[in-house]
Amino acid sequence: MSNKVKFEAKQEEKTDLEYQGCYTPEGYLDFTKFAQSEPFQQGVKKLRAGMERGYTFVLMCAEKPPIPCHRSILIARNLSLQGLCVVHLLEEG
Protein backbone atom coordinates (compact mmCIF):
# COMPACT_ATOMS: atom_id res chain seq x y z
CA MET A 1 0.00 0.00 0.00
CA SER A 2 1.32 3.40 -0.93
CA ASN A 3 2.10 5.93 1.79
CA LYS A 4 0.37 8.60 -0.29
CA VAL A 5 -3.39 8.29 -0.07
CA LYS A 6 -5.79 10.47 -2.03
CA PHE A 7 -8.60 10.16 0.53
CA GLU A 8 -7.07 12.26 3.29
CA ALA A 9 -8.87 15.46 4.27
CA LYS A 10 -7.12 18.74 3.73
CA GLN A 11 -6.52 20.56 6.99
CA GLU A 12 -7.15 24.28 6.79
CA GLU A 13 -5.82 25.05 10.27
CA LYS A 14 -2.71 23.30 11.54
CA THR A 15 -2.50 24.86 14.98
CA ASP A 16 -1.65 21.80 17.08
CA LEU A 17 2.14 21.65 17.44
CA GLU A 18 2.04 17.88 18.07
CA TYR A 19 0.83 17.33 14.51
CA GLN A 20 3.34 19.58 12.78
CA GLY A 21 5.58 17.51 10.58
CA CYS A 22 2.65 15.21 9.76
CA TYR A 23 1.44 17.30 6.82
CA THR A 24 2.43 17.30 3.19
CA PRO A 25 3.51 20.62 1.64
CA GLU A 26 0.04 20.78 0.07
CA GLY A 27 -1.61 20.71 3.52
CA TYR A 28 -2.77 17.08 3.60
CA LEU A 29 -2.27 14.85 6.61
CA ASP A 30 0.38 12.19 5.93
CA PHE A 31 -1.22 9.10 7.49
CA THR A 32 2.07 7.22 7.78
CA LYS A 33 3.69 10.03 9.76
CA PHE A 34 0.56 10.68 11.80
CA ALA A 35 0.30 6.99 12.78
CA GLN A 36 3.75 7.37 14.37
CA SER A 37 2.82 10.55 16.25
CA GLU A 38 2.40 10.66 20.02
CA PRO A 39 -1.33 11.60 19.92
CA PHE A 40 -2.15 8.67 17.62
CA GLN A 41 -0.07 6.21 19.63
CA GLN A 42 -1.72 7.41 22.85
CA GLY A 43 -5.12 6.73 21.28
CA VAL A 44 -4.05 3.21 20.32
CA LYS A 45 -2.79 2.62 23.87
CA LYS A 46 -6.18 3.70 25.27
CA LEU A 47 -7.99 1.32 22.89
CA ARG A 48 -5.68 -1.55 23.87
CA ALA A 49 -6.12 -0.83 27.58
CA GLY A 50 -9.89 -0.88 27.14
CA MET A 51 -9.74 -4.16 25.20
CA GLU A 52 -7.63 -5.71 27.96
CA ARG A 53 -10.44 -4.80 30.34
CA GLY A 54 -12.97 -6.57 28.11
CA TYR A 55 -14.45 -3.59 26.28
CA THR A 56 -15.45 -3.75 22.61
CA PHE A 57 -15.05 -0.62 20.51
CA VAL A 58 -16.89 0.63 17.46
CA LEU A 59 -15.27 3.42 15.45
CA MET A 60 -17.76 5.38 13.41
CA CYS A 61 -17.62 8.09 10.78
CA ALA A 62 -19.89 9.83 8.29
CA GLU A 63 -18.42 7.69 5.50
CA LYS A 64 -20.52 4.55 5.03
CA PRO A 65 -18.05 2.37 3.12
CA PRO A 66 -14.75 1.79 4.92
CA ILE A 67 -12.46 2.04 1.89
CA PRO A 68 -12.45 5.86 1.41
CA CYS A 69 -12.52 6.53 5.16
CA HIS A 70 -9.70 7.25 7.59
CA ARG A 71 -11.04 4.41 9.78
CA SER A 72 -9.81 1.93 7.20
CA ILE A 73 -6.85 3.78 5.71
CA LEU A 74 -5.35 5.01 8.98
CA ILE A 75 -6.84 3.37 12.04
CA ALA A 76 -7.82 -0.15 10.95
CA ARG A 77 -4.64 -0.59 8.93
CA ASN A 78 -2.49 0.41 11.89
CA LEU A 79 -4.38 -1.80 14.33
CA SER A 80 -4.17 -4.76 11.92
CA LEU A 81 -0.42 -4.26 11.57
CA GLN A 82 -0.23 -4.53 15.37
CA GLY A 83 -1.96 -7.92 15.23
CA LEU A 84 -5.45 -6.82 16.26
CA CYS A 85 -8.55 -8.19 14.57
CA VAL A 86 -10.53 -5.50 12.76
CA VAL A 87 -14.02 -6.15 11.40
CA HIS A 88 -15.78 -3.67 9.10
CA LEU A 89 -19.56 -3.56 9.44
CA LEU A 90 -21.05 -2.91 6.03
CA GLU A 91 -24.47 -1.52 5.14
CA GLU A 92 -25.25 -4.71 3.18
CA GLY A 93 -24.69 -6.78 6.34
Side-chain angles (χ1 to χ4, degrees):
M1 177 177 237
S2 170
N3 290 343
K4 190 118 174 148
V5 179
K6 295 291 182 187
F7 300 113
E8 66 263 79
K10 187 169 183 175
Q11 303 296 311
E12 297 302 326
E13 292 186 35
K14 299 175 277 232
T15 58
D16 194 333
L17 293 177
E18 293 179 283
Y19 301 133
Q20 289 192 359
C22 294
Y23 292 93
T24 67
E26 297 82 19
Y28 292 94
L29 187 63
D30 182 318
F31 288 163
T32 301
K33 288 180 182 178
F34 181 69
Q36 297 168 1
S37 72
E38 186 62 26
F40 185 86
Q41 290 302 315
Q42 286 298 321
V44 171
K45 286 179 187 176
K46 287 180 183 179
L47 285 173
R48 284 178 141 337
M51 287 185 261
E52 289 171 8
R53 295 178 67 190
Y55 290 100
T56 299
F57 292 92
V58 176
L59 304 176
M60 299 174 66
C61 183
E63 298 281 348
K64 281 186 181 180
I67 296 302
C69 180
H70 69 285
R71 289 170 307 185
S72 179
I73 300 166
L74 174 62
I75 301 168
R77 180 174 183 269
N78 187 272
L79 295 175
S80 294
L81 290 172
Q82 294 185 32
L84 296 174
C85 178
V86 176
V87 176
H88 293 282
L89 304 177
L90 304 176
E91 183 177 19
E92 305 83 38

